[in-house]
Amino acid sequence: MSDIITLDITEPNKEYIIKQFNGGRGFINRIESLGLHINQIIEKKAGSFLGGPIVVKTGHLSIAIGRGMARKIAVEKVLK
Amino acid sequence: MKVLLVGNPNVGKSVVFTRLTGIHVISSNYPGTTINYTSGFTKINNEKVEIIDVPGTYSLKPSSKAEKVAVELLKDGDIIINIIDATNLERNLCLTMELLKLGKPMMIALNMWDDTHHRGITIDAENLQKILKIPVVPTIAVSGFGIKELSDLVFKLSPPDIKKISETNKWKKIGIIINNCQKLKHKHHTFIDILSDASVKPITGLPIAALVIFLMFKIIRIIGESIIGYVMDPLFNNFYMPLITKLGAILNKTGFLHNILIGKLIEGEIDLIQSFGVLTTGIYVPVAMVIPYIISFYLLLGIIEDMGYIPRLAVLLDSLMHKIGLHGYSIIPTLLGLGCNVPGILGTRILESKRERLIAAAGISIGVPCTALQAMIIGLLAKYGFKYIALVYFSLFIIWIIISFTLNLLLKGFSPELLIEIPHYRLPLIQTVLKKLYIRVKEFIVDAIPIMLAGVFIVNILYYFKVFDIIANISSPVLKRLWGLPKETIVAITVGFLRKDTAVAMLIPLNLSPGQLVKVTVILSIFFPCIATFNILLKEFGLKDMLKIVSIMIIVTIITGCILNLII
């Protein structure tokens, strides 16, 4: 379990799997309706700049997520 | 009967709408182009059917005003056509599941079907139809593929037969559907993918953004000036001017009618800019000076909209925009405001909170000059050198930042974080870009030119009754002492309430120094919105907030005038 980190501090261009959303129902609804869900594999494409959003990619979908929200998303590195 | 086109943002609903009804609406490559609904009628099986283009929504639990509009519309629709971006099946099905629960007759249009092939996606549409128990039609809205099947099916739909899906089971169910209906082939990174990543990474993205903005301004000016120099000026000089001169001669060069239609003679000659008659300045300014820039601005805006670049700009600028209480996505209404403040203020509907909308709208109506105004400012100041134009833009930019920053401190609440989908880059289709340009230019002609002609007419009447003399005398202490401007400029500032471009045209005969011109054009830009903007602020925010914005505007104008007077 110690390998679980938050999305904002992941390494770019490496695959991670979403483990948990640490937020209220409203937050989870918004995140899920944009297409992110538990057990999904994502890759960070751009890191935060001056506290700005990070960009993640999953399949053919790119999503920009504010850093505060990214901190609420727990992920685990996919081992190859 | 009402047929609703429902789907996630940016899946091509508006294009399907155009295909079904023949009515052209603006579409772009970013989520949230349709912020209000458009409806149109079409005949299917000889029966009149109302088609409604619902603003895109990710979920039926709305998080912005545009999404609220969508949810409201769903209440009294009869049939749902759920439009899905076939390249993002999994995410799009999330909304589909929510829609199915409504129990209304429904079908799915798997749009952007052609895109799936070159992205290595294979979707088994028949199987999808079997699992969901509703018709699934592959479509390519931009080319019209599949649209006929959609309209053929409208009267054959029955309510969906799907058992209640709980929230927790939703993704499991979607997962099963995806496993059964979709196959992905791994594709190597293409140039577009690399560019896509580079344009959101700060280190490469910021230089790209600077280059894009610089090139946009450069190209807008080149196209605008070329249309003026090669099309409008020859047309007006060779064809229009002789007609007007003849009319002047018929009217004996004097009298009330001459004053209204042709205006004053400048050194014994008719001057299309300065004479200020309905048929001289009233026609020349909008047609020959403003429309060329309207065309070039909206052409370029249309191209970068359809490419999908703007959301990337929003991501890059997000952290900076947060410092002034906005998030990056407010760059979209702000850019639209550079064309005309009215669609800009309407565009704030994509923002989540009222607070953000108010900050963005105040910033747009005060600090963002529309293309018509910019065209006139450039036309007026270009001969004195680029630095004066730059000074106007710089002042407006600073004012925009200060206003947003102050409102951010004053208004309660905080600005939510950015959470947006970044669309794929697409090569803009020439037809859609030109169609969009046509809609926007037509809107300008229909909305702006009548006001402009009426404005020139009213101003001439007021001149005739010497109303402006009274206003000028009353306001001269403020103008002279605080702002260092001659009292005649008040006429232009007053006319700015009708149209700002007409107002700038009125400054030309006053022989102001370049410094005075900078001051007065900045004041004109920020002081009081033009009548169209005023109206839209009232409609969107109500009397109380509109008055708030207007009072900020007046205070800012007085202070700015004083500061500029001290500096220049």
Side-chain angles (χ1 to χ4, degrees):
Chain A
M1 285 298 283
S2 59
D3 294 339
I4 291 184
I5 56 172
T6 53
L7 182 59
D8 57 312
I9 51 168
T10 53
E11 288 171 64
N13 301 317
K14 294 268 159 61
E15 291 190 332
Y16 289 84
I17 183 161
I18 300 180
K19 283 293 178 191
Q20 204 180 334
F21 296 123
N22 300 313
R25 198 60 242 172
F27 168 70
I28 296 175
N29 270 339
R30 285 197 61 201
I31 283 278
E32 285 196 339
S33 62
L34 266 172
L36 295 180
H37 56 91
I38 309 284
N39 291 331
Q40 190 178 31
I41 290 174
I42 56 176
E43 249 177 71
K44 185 163 83 175
K45 283 294 172 187
S48 167
F49 160 67
L50 296 175
I54 63 157
V55 177
V56 296
K57 205 168 176 182
T58 167
H60 289 273
L61 186 65
S62 297
I63 294 172
I65 306 174
R67 196 168 62 166
M69 292 187 184
R71 282 203 191 110
K72 295 182 188 166
I73 300 174
V75 295
E76 188 180 26
K77 202 167 183 176
V78 175
L79 299 170
K80 286 197 173 165
Chain B
M1 194 175 64
K2 281 185 181 168
V3 176
L4 304 178
L5 306 179
V6 192
N8 283 173
N10 204 31
V11 296
K13 291 177 295 297
S14 299
V15 191
V16 174
F17 177 80
T18 302
R19 286 282 166 194
L20 284 170
T21 60
I23 299 169
H24 293 298
V25 282
I26 289 183
S27 58
S28 302
N29 184 11
Y30 56 74
T33 317
T34 309
I35 42 184
N36 201 347
Y37 71 94
T38 323
S39 76
F41 290 92
T42 187
K43 273 203 169 150
I44 298 176
N45 295 349
N46 276 327
E47 212 176 297
K48 205 173 166 192
V49 174
E50 186 181 8
I51 311 270
I52 299 176
D53 180 16
V54 177
T57 182
Y58 289 111
S59 137
L60 297 184
K61 302 167 196 96
S63 61
S64 73
K65 194 173 175 188
E67 290 195 345
K68 265 187 203 128
V69 173
V71 175
E72 283 300 310
L73 282 168
L74 273 168
K75 285 182 187 157
D76 46 42
D78 301 303
I79 284 174
I80 297 171
I81 302 183
N82 176 205
I83 298 164
I84 280 183
D85 169 2
T87 63
N88 261 326
L89 187 60
E90 185 178 17
R91 202 275 310 283
N92 281 255
L93 282 175
C94 186
L95 178 68
T96 308
M97 294 297 159
E98 291 187 35
L99 288 171
L100 283 170
K101 281 197 226 165
L102 297 175
K104 295 193 180 194
M106 177 168 147
M107 66 176 139
I108 286 176
L110 269 181
N111 200 26
M112 309 193 192
W113 187 247
D114 50 337
D115 261 11
T116 54
H117 305 307
H118 29 124
R119 287 182 201 282
I121 305 167
T122 326
I123 297 174
D124 184 347
E126 267 174 44
N127 205 3
L128 187 62
Q129 181 164 322
K130 255 185 228 155
I131 298 175
L132 291 173
K133 296 172 189 146
I134 54 169
V136 174
V137 183
T139 60
I140 307 167
V142 286
S143 74
F145 172 82
I147 301 297
K148 195 177 173 301
E149 285 88 324
L150 283 183
S151 60
D152 285 348
L153 278 165
V154 164
F155 284 106
K156 294 175 190 155
L157 296 176
S158 48
D161 165 38
I162 216 140
K163 278 178 211 117
K164 221 176 167 206
I165 312 148
S166 72
E167 280 296 313
T168 35
N169 275 334
K170 192 165 71 179
W171 287 107
K172 225 179 245 171
K173 172 97 183 161
I174 293 172
I176 295 168
I177 298 173
I178 293 294
N179 284 338
N180 278 305
C181 304
Q182 180 179 278
K183 279 194 191 80
L184 296 179
K185 229 189 312 173
H186 186 74
K187 281 232 160 177
H188 285 287
H189 278 291
T190 59
F191 173 69
I192 297 280
D193 291 329
I194 295 166
L195 187 67
S196 182
D197 290 349
S199 52
V200 287
K201 259 186 216 141
I203 197 163
T204 41
L206 286 172
I208 292 176
L211 185 71
V212 169
I213 292 170
F214 172 77
L215 283 178
M216 261 192 82
F217 272 99
K218 194 95 194 154
I219 297 170
I220 288 169
R221 261 199 87 178
I222 292 173
I223 297 178
E225 277 168 9
S226 308
I227 300 176
I228 293 175
Y230 296 110
V231 183
M232 294 304 183
D233 277 348
L235 270 178
F236 272 84
N237 291 336
N238 300 331
F239 298 101
Y240 194 70
M241 196 59 182
L243 281 178
I244 290 295
T245 315
K246 252 182 218 159
L247 182 68
I250 294 169
L251 293 172
N252 283 330
K253 296 191 176 181
T254 48
F256 182 73
L257 206 57
H258 185 275
N259 267 350
I260 298 277
L261 292 179
I262 296 189
K264 294 178 284 288
L265 298 181
I266 309 291
E267 291 165 8
E269 298 281 331
I270 295 171
D271 184 319
L272 286 175
I273 303 176
Q274 298 188 31
S275 286
F276 215 75
V278 173
L279 295 179
T280 50
T281 311
I283 295 287
Y284 184 79
V285 166
V287 178
M289 297 177 79
V290 174
I291 287 181
Y293 279 100
I294 297 276
I295 294 174
S296 61
F297 173 79
Y298 281 129
L299 177 69
L300 268 280
L301 182 72
I303 292 171
I304 66 160
E305 275 179 342
D306 285 11
M307 279 171 58
Y309 181 68
I310 297 176
R312 290 164 169 88
L313 197 59
V315 170
L316 284 170
L317 297 180
D318 184 61
S319 57
L320 299 174
M321 301 284 271
H322 260 286
K323 308 266 185 294
I324 55 171
L326 294 170
H327 72 42
Y329 221 45
S330 49
I331 198 75
I332 292 181
T334 307
L335 275 175
L336 290 173
L338 281 171
C340 169
N341 280 189
V342 174
I345 288 163
L346 277 174
T348 61
R349 287 187 178 183
I350 53 172
L351 303 175
E352 289 160 52
S353 67
K354 178 139 191 229
R355 178 181 191 274
E356 271 179 294
R357 296 189 58 215
L358 203 61
I359 298 176
I364 291 166
S365 58
I366 303 172
V368 177
C370 65
T371 300
L373 178 60
Q374 294 179 65
M376 294 304 291
I377 292 176
I378 293 170
L380 191 64
L381 286 170
K383 60 177 172 219
Y384 301 111
F386 176 73
K387 72 171 183 195
Y388 291 106
I389 298 175
L391 197 57
V392 172
Y393 277 86
F394 182 71
S395 311
L396 290 176
F397 181 63
I398 298 290
I399 291 164
W400 178 75
I401 289 183
I402 293 175
I403 287 166
S404 317
F405 191 79
T406 320
L407 278 175
N408 187 29
L409 288 179
L410 291 179
L411 292 174
K412 269 179 246 141
F414 65 100
S415 37
E417 281 191 285
L418 187 78
L419 181 64
I420 57 164
E421 179 187 357
I422 302 172
H424 306 297
Y425 274 128
R426 280 187 211 132
L427 212 56
L429 285 172
I430 294 173
Q431 308 98 286
T432 41
V433 169
L434 291 181
K435 233 172 242 166
K436 187 149 72 165
L437 177 66
Y438 169 76
I439 296 174
R440 285 167 161 169
V441 173
K442 197 175 115 191
E443 241 163 47
F444 173 80
I445 293 173
V446 173
D447 293 344
I449 293 185
I451 297 179
M452 190 115 186
L453 294 176
V456 174
F457 179 76
I458 294 168
V459 168
N460 276 318
I461 299 278
L462 293 180
Y463 261 128
Y464 195 80
F465 290 108
K466 308 217 182 306
V467 177
F468 284 125
D469 293 346
I470 304 166
I471 301 176
N473 284 330
I474 295 171
S475 55
S476 78
V478 176
L479 287 171
K480 269 196 184 144
R481 292 214 195 112
L482 289 180
W483 297 345
L485 291 170
K487 65 177 184 182
E488 290 78 22
T489 49
I490 193 65
V491 181
I493 295 172
T494 318
V495 170
F497 179 62
L498 283 173
R499 281 209 57 88
K500 309 245 173 176
D501 41 9
T502 321
V504 177
M506 296 186 76
L507 297 171
I508 299 169
L510 299 180
N511 289 321
L512 302 173
S513 69
Q516 283 177 319
L517 283 174
V518 169
K519 269 187 282 186
V520 73
T521 45
V522 170
I523 288 172
L524 248 177
S525 312
I526 58 183
F527 188 48
F528 231 78
C530 71
I531 195 158
T533 311
F534 187 83
N535 195 22
I536 205 77
L537 282 174
L538 187 64
K539 265 195 210 153
E540 287 289 297
F541 294 96
L543 187 65
K544 208 175 127 200
D545 286 331
M546 196 266 309
L547 288 176
K548 259 189 222 163
I549 295 181
V550 170
S551 19
I552 297 168
M553 219 174 257
I554 294 172
I555 298 168
V556 171
T557 309
I558 295 175
I559 299 173
T560 312
C562 296
I563 296 174
L564 284 175
N565 193 27
L566 291 175
I567 305 173
I568 301 171

